[in-house]
Amino acid sequence: DGGITQSPKYLFRKEGQNVTLSCEQNLNHDAMYWYRQDPGQGLRLIYYSQIVNDFQKGDIAEGYSVSREKKESFPLTVTSAQKNPTAFYLCASSWASTNTGELFFGEGSRLTVL
Amino acid sequence: AQKITQTQPGMFVQEKEAVTLDCTYDTSDPSYGLFWYKQPSSGEMIFLIYQGSYDQQNATEGRYSLNFQKARKSANLVISASQLGDSAMYFCAMSATSGGSYIPTFGRGTSLIVHP
């Protein structure tokens, strides 16, 4: 079955540690996105990538980093520079950036900083 | 800059009744897409319906319809015959150009509770 797989589903981190959230898709989509969701804030774009080896910052990229070495994979690293990393993180993908294609989402990763 | 506004933090509806969830948007791009997603308590995001800016007719998908009023820049979601399983967060989103790319932008969401 085609889809997007995010892991881990739950993650606990101590302050000062970097953590990496995995996102893999087998939909052959070109575009991939990372969103952060906080209660009452909706989804805010962290990073997006439209093609392998290229990515752009979204609205809240500070304290995060990504890579896109393979079409299928778009991991997100939450660095120690992110001041308030506790949140629900959603990875999504779509066909090449258009205004007609819906996003396909993973099940999300919930990060808690202890 | 693109902006999506959902002014209803929470809505309540009786089972089998219809409900309208409001969404207004702002963009200077003449070509854009409007989307609605549902997020149950499990957290997954489910695509519901799409409306293109050049579409003449309102989009419909089963019990979902999108009331598209272009001049007013509104894209309200209408759910007919509400079911208990419709209780969830609902997000309006728009895909319009930003720096040459189509970037999806989301509203803050509306929490819908369906009463038996």
Side-chain angles (χ1 to χ4, degrees):
Chain A
D1 286 337
I4 298 182
T5 302
Q6 283 187 244
S7 63
K9 194 166 186 177
Y10 298 96
L11 185 61
F12 298 89
R13 183 193 101 173
K14 293 182 180 179
E15 282 193 23
Q17 287 182 334
N18 291 356
V19 294
T20 298
L21 308 181
S22 170
C23 178
E24 303 277 333
Q25 56 101 356
N26 60 3
L27 299 167
N28 201 31
H29 285 167
D30 291 305
M32 296 188 74
Y33 311 82
W34 273 105
Y35 288 91
R36 170 178 170 145
Q37 185 177 14
D38 297 282
Q41 295 283 335
L43 277 68
R44 293 182 290 169
L45 184 64
I46 305 173
Y47 269 97
Y48 65 98
S49 169
Q50 298 178 69
I51 195 169
V52 175
N53 292 323
D54 188 50
F55 49 83
Q56 280 77 42
K57 294 181 179 180
D59 299 320
I60 56 165
E62 185 175 352
Y64 300 97
S65 66
V66 293
S67 63
R68 187 85 187 277
E69 297 176 0
K70 298 186 300 181
K71 188 175 185 177
E72 304 79 19
S73 180
F74 192 41
L76 173 74
T77 297
V78 184
T79 75
S80 56
Q82 169 51 231
K83 295 288 186 281
N84 184 21
T86 294
F88 188 57
Y89 293 87
L90 284 160
C91 179
S93 70
S94 69
W95 299 110
S97 180
T98 71
N99 65 350
T100 59
E102 74 269 25
L103 295 177
F104 292 75
F105 284 87
E107 293 185 339
S109 294
R110 190 168 298 278
L111 172 63
T112 303
V113 174
L114 303 174
Chain B
Q2 278 65 250
K3 187 175 181 181
I4 292 281
T5 303
Q6 295 180 254
T7 57
Q8 306 155 314
M11 290 284 286
F12 297 87
V13 67
Q14 197 83 23
E15 193 178 10
K16 300 180 185 177
E17 297 291 315
V19 63
T20 297
L21 306 184
D22 294 342
C23 173
T24 58
Y25 60 92
D26 189 23
T27 180
S28 57
D29 191 346
S31 177
Y32 52 88
L34 296 159
F35 305 81
W36 278 92
Y37 294 85
K38 172 184 178 182
Q39 186 181 42
S41 58
S42 58
E44 62 183 308
M45 295 283 284
I46 303 167
F47 165 71
L48 295 178
I49 196 167
Y50 161 80
Q51 178 87 40
S53 58
Y54 295 119
D55 293 343
Q56 296 295 314
Q57 293 189 321
N58 289 341
T60 59
E61 289 286 349
R63 294 186 299 110
Y64 304 108
S65 61
L66 199 153
N67 185 359
F68 181 45
Q69 298 189 38
K70 195 169 183 177
R72 297 179 60 185
K73 293 191 175 181
S74 74
N76 298 340
L77 177 71
V78 180
I79 305 175
S80 62
S82 297
Q83 301 172 357
L84 296 179
D86 293 334
S87 294
M89 285 291 293
Y90 288 82
F91 291 95
C92 180
M94 174 174 64
S95 191
T97 53
S98 176
S101 302
Y102 283 101
I103 304 302
T105 302
F106 286 78
R108 295 192 171 205
T110 296
S111 174
L112 176 66
I113 296 176
V114 180
H115 289 299

